[in-house]
Amino acid sequence: MLRRNERVLDNIPVGALGIIALDGCQDMGKRVNDYIVDWRHQDSHEFKDDVVFTGYEKDNYLINAQVPRFGSGEAKGILGESVRGKDIYLMVDVCNYSLTYSMSGQTNHMSPDDHFQNLKRVIAAVGGKGRRINVIMPFLYESRQHKRSGRESLDCALALQELVRMGVDNIITFDAHDPRIQNAIPLSGFETVRPTYQFVKGLLRKYKDLQIDSEHMMAISPDEGATGRAIYLANVLNLDMGMFYKRRDYTKVVDGRNPIVAHEFLGSSVEGKDVIILDDMISSGDSILDVAKQLKQRKARRIFAAATFGLFTNGLEKFDKAYEEGIIDSILTTNLIYQTPELLDRPYYINCDMSKYIALLIDTLNHDGSISSILSPNERIQNVLEKYKNGEEI
C-alpha cells in the first residue's frame, strides 16, 4: 500500500478537515476517520502550531449531521456544529437498503433516491459556509442510466450537474459504470477509482498456490463493457485475456431491455488455468454465473469473480449452489457499499477493505496534493506480487 509518508504533504491544507458520513455510510466514515486521526497524531509536522494549520491535529474529524423525518416521510438536513471555512468531505452509500424510515405509519426501506436526496439536504444545510465541498460516492448514483437510448432520461448526468450547481467542487466515485459520464460536468473535479490492487491483494492473501503468468492464469471480461478492466489486469499481471459478449434477442423487450440469449466467448483456451472474472458490479449474478459455467465447461481450473460492488439483488442462494457445485471458488467485492452479515459469513467470500484507500485520498486532497500516484496502482501491484513470490507476509 502507498504509505502516507511517501507523499509530499507540504501544501497548506485547503481548510480544517471535516468528514460528514451520512446514514448508511457511518461505519466506513468511522474507519476513515480513525486512520486520519492516527496519521496526524504520529505526524511530527513542523507547522502544527502555525495559525494556518489550526484544527489540523484533532481526535475526531467527523461532523455530526442528521436527517430526521416528519411523519409524512418528508425530511430535513441538520448540522450539529459549525462548518464555516472547513474542507468538507461527504460520504454517502446510495446502495444501503438496510436503513428504514416511517411514512404515515408504514415502514419504507431507503432507496438510492432517498440517499441522494439526503446528500442534497446536508449540502443545503452547509449553505455555502464550507471552504470546499467534496462528495465521496463509491457507487455513483444512477450510473447504470449513463447513456440515452431512445426517449429516456439521463439520470446520472442530471444528478452530477445538480451536485455541481449546489456548490460541490469534487466528486470521487469508484469504478463508474462508464467513466465518460464525467463529460456531463467537464469543468468540475471528477475521479473514478478502480480497486484492482485490493482485488489482487485479497486473492493473494487467500490463496498461497497461485501461479501468476499467462500459462496458468487468465483475466476474463464477462461482457463488452468490462473489457477495459480485464485488459488492465491482464497487462499488469502479464496474463492472457478473454471476453464474452452478450447475444441479445432484439425482437423482444423484457423489463425494459432486450433479453440475453447466450454469452459467446472470444479468446484462447482456458483449460487448466485459474481464471479471474472482472466486472464493476454483481447485481442479480445471473450473467457472472452463466459465464462461470461456460468457463467450467471449457475446463477452467479455479474461477474467481471480482466485482467492485456486490449488490446480490436476488439473494445468495444461487451463489451458494454454484460454490457447492464447484463452479465458483471465490467472490471478491469491496466494503464500499452495504454488505449483509450473511455475505460476510460465506466461506467463498473475500472482503476487500477500502477504508485506508479513501483515508489516503481525503488526507491528500485536504492538503491540495496530487492524487495521481494513489489512483495508479501499477507499482503497488508489482510490489505485492514480489512479496508473494518471495513468500513474505502481504
Side-chain angles (χ1 to χ4, degrees):
M1 189 66 179
L2 180 73
R3 302 265 183 271
R4 181 178 186 266
N5 54 14
E6 288 171 18
R7 294 169 299 137
V8 177
L9 293 175
D10 290 342
N11 295 1
I12 293 169
V14 175
L17 177 61
I19 300 170
I20 300 177
L22 274 75
D23 289 348
C25 203
Q26 286 165 338
D27 286 348
M28 174 67 88
K30 187 176 182 309
R31 278 199 290 273
V32 168
N33 177 62
D34 289 346
Y35 274 115
I36 297 176
V37 168
D38 195 37
W39 290 336
R40 292 193 173 181
H41 278 324
Q42 291 173 11
D43 195 11
S44 56
H45 206 291
E46 58 185 298
F47 304 119
K48 251 181 206 172
D49 299 324
D50 196 311
V51 67
V52 295
F53 280 81
T54 302
Y56 182 76
E57 185 186 340
K58 290 168 71 178
D59 291 329
N60 182 31
Y61 298 99
L62 291 169
I63 291 166
N64 176 26
Q66 295 173 323
V67 186
R69 287 188 182 262
F70 302 102
S72 59
E74 296 164 296
K76 61 179 175 180
I78 302 173
L79 293 177
E81 59 191 271
S82 170
V83 294
R84 189 176 292 277
K86 287 195 162 137
D87 185 23
I88 297 166
Y89 293 81
L90 290 122
M91 296 172 64
V92 59
D93 173 10
V94 298
C95 292
N96 193 335
Y97 59 87
S98 71
L99 301 183
T100 58
Y101 63 91
S102 176
M103 185 170 77
S104 300
Q106 304 293 316
T107 299
N108 267 12
H109 280 267
M110 294 274 286
S111 71
D113 293 347
D114 291 317
H115 285 292
F116 186 68
Q117 204 65 25
N118 279 2
L119 171 67
K120 291 193 294 181
R121 287 179 178 119
V122 174
I123 293 170
V126 170
K129 305 298 187 296
R131 178 72 50 84
R132 186 173 68 171
I133 297 177
N134 311 273
V135 168
I136 296 174
M137 186 189 290
F139 186 98
L140 186 61
Y141 174 68
E142 286 291 358
S143 58
R144 298 172 84 175
Q145 190 50 30
H146 62 283
K147 64 178 189 285
R148 179 178 277 159
S149 177
R151 293 180 184 88
E152 293 181 346
S153 56
L154 266 171
D155 295 60
C156 192
L158 281 172
L160 291 175
Q161 289 184 356
E162 196 170 6
L163 290 176
V164 167
R165 281 197 297 270
M166 290 185 80
V168 172
D169 295 279
N170 294 305
I171 297 167
I172 297 166
T173 188
F174 284 77
D175 216 348
H177 200 58
D178 187 337
R180 289 173 295 186
I181 193 62
Q182 66 190 287
N183 292 343
I185 47 165
L187 300 179
S188 300
F190 182 95
E191 300 292 350
T192 176
V193 190
R194 282 187 181 157
T196 315
Y197 167 72
Q198 283 79 6
F199 287 151
V200 171
K201 196 162 76 166
L203 206 55
L204 298 182
R205 278 181 171 166
K206 175 87 182 265
Y207 295 94
K208 301 300 177 193
D209 61 339
L210 294 172
Q211 290 179 277
I212 300 162
D213 56 51
S214 55
E215 287 176 33
H216 300 95
M217 192 176 268
M218 266 181 93
I220 300 286
S221 167
D223 56 32
E224 314 90 290
T227 310
R229 296 176 188 88
I231 288 172
Y232 177 76
L233 187 75
N235 288 345
V236 172
L237 300 183
N238 293 319
L239 310 179
D240 261 354
M241 180 252 169
M243 72 165 283
F244 285 82
Y245 72 90
K246 293 171 178 172
R247 191 150 53 85
R248 295 180 182 271
D249 182 353
Y250 286 100
T251 63
K252 294 180 195 164
V253 176
V254 178
D255 294 332
R257 57 177 60 201
N258 305 104
I260 297 163
V261 179
H263 287 91
E264 305 288 357
F265 182 64
L266 303 170
S268 55
S269 170
V270 298
E271 189 172 343
K273 293 180 181 176
D274 289 334
V275 168
I276 305 172
I277 306 170
L278 278 163
D279 210 350
D280 62 332
M281 70 180 78
I282 296 173
S283 186
S284 67
D286 291 340
S287 283
I288 217 150
L289 290 176
D290 188 41
V291 163
K293 278 175 192 159
Q294 291 215 36
L295 290 168
K296 272 294 177 191
Q297 286 164 9
R298 289 177 167 80
K299 299 183 181 171
R301 187 177 170 224
R302 289 177 295 190
I303 295 177
F304 315 116
T308 309
F309 307 107
L311 301 172
F312 303 106
T313 53
N314 293 356
L316 297 170
E317 291 75 18
K318 61 181 80 168
F319 294 95
D320 296 342
K321 191 164 178 276
Y323 174 66
E324 284 159 19
E325 291 172 359
I327 293 165
I328 271 192
D329 288 81
S330 278
I331 291 175
L332 300 92
T333 70
T334 68
N335 63 340
L336 290 168
I337 62 169
Y338 172 67
Q339 299 160 300
T340 62
E342 296 78 38
L343 176 66
L344 294 168
D345 284 343
R346 290 299 193 265
Y348 53 82
Y349 181 65
I350 300 172
N351 176 26
C352 302
D353 182 18
M354 300 296 293
S355 52
K356 187 175 184 183
Y357 198 50
I358 292 175
L360 277 167
L361 286 167
I362 290 175
D363 194 33
T364 310
L365 286 171
N366 181 233
H367 278 270
D368 239 359
S370 168
I371 57 171
S372 303
S373 57
I374 305 174
L375 297 178
S376 175
N378 306 5
E379 204 176 308
R380 280 171 287 147
I381 290 172
Q382 296 308 325
N383 287 344
V384 83
L385 281 177
E386 196 61 38
K387 281 186 176 178
Y388 183 77
K389 286 171 184 169
N390 295 336
E392 295 174 41
E393 191 67 31
I394 295 167

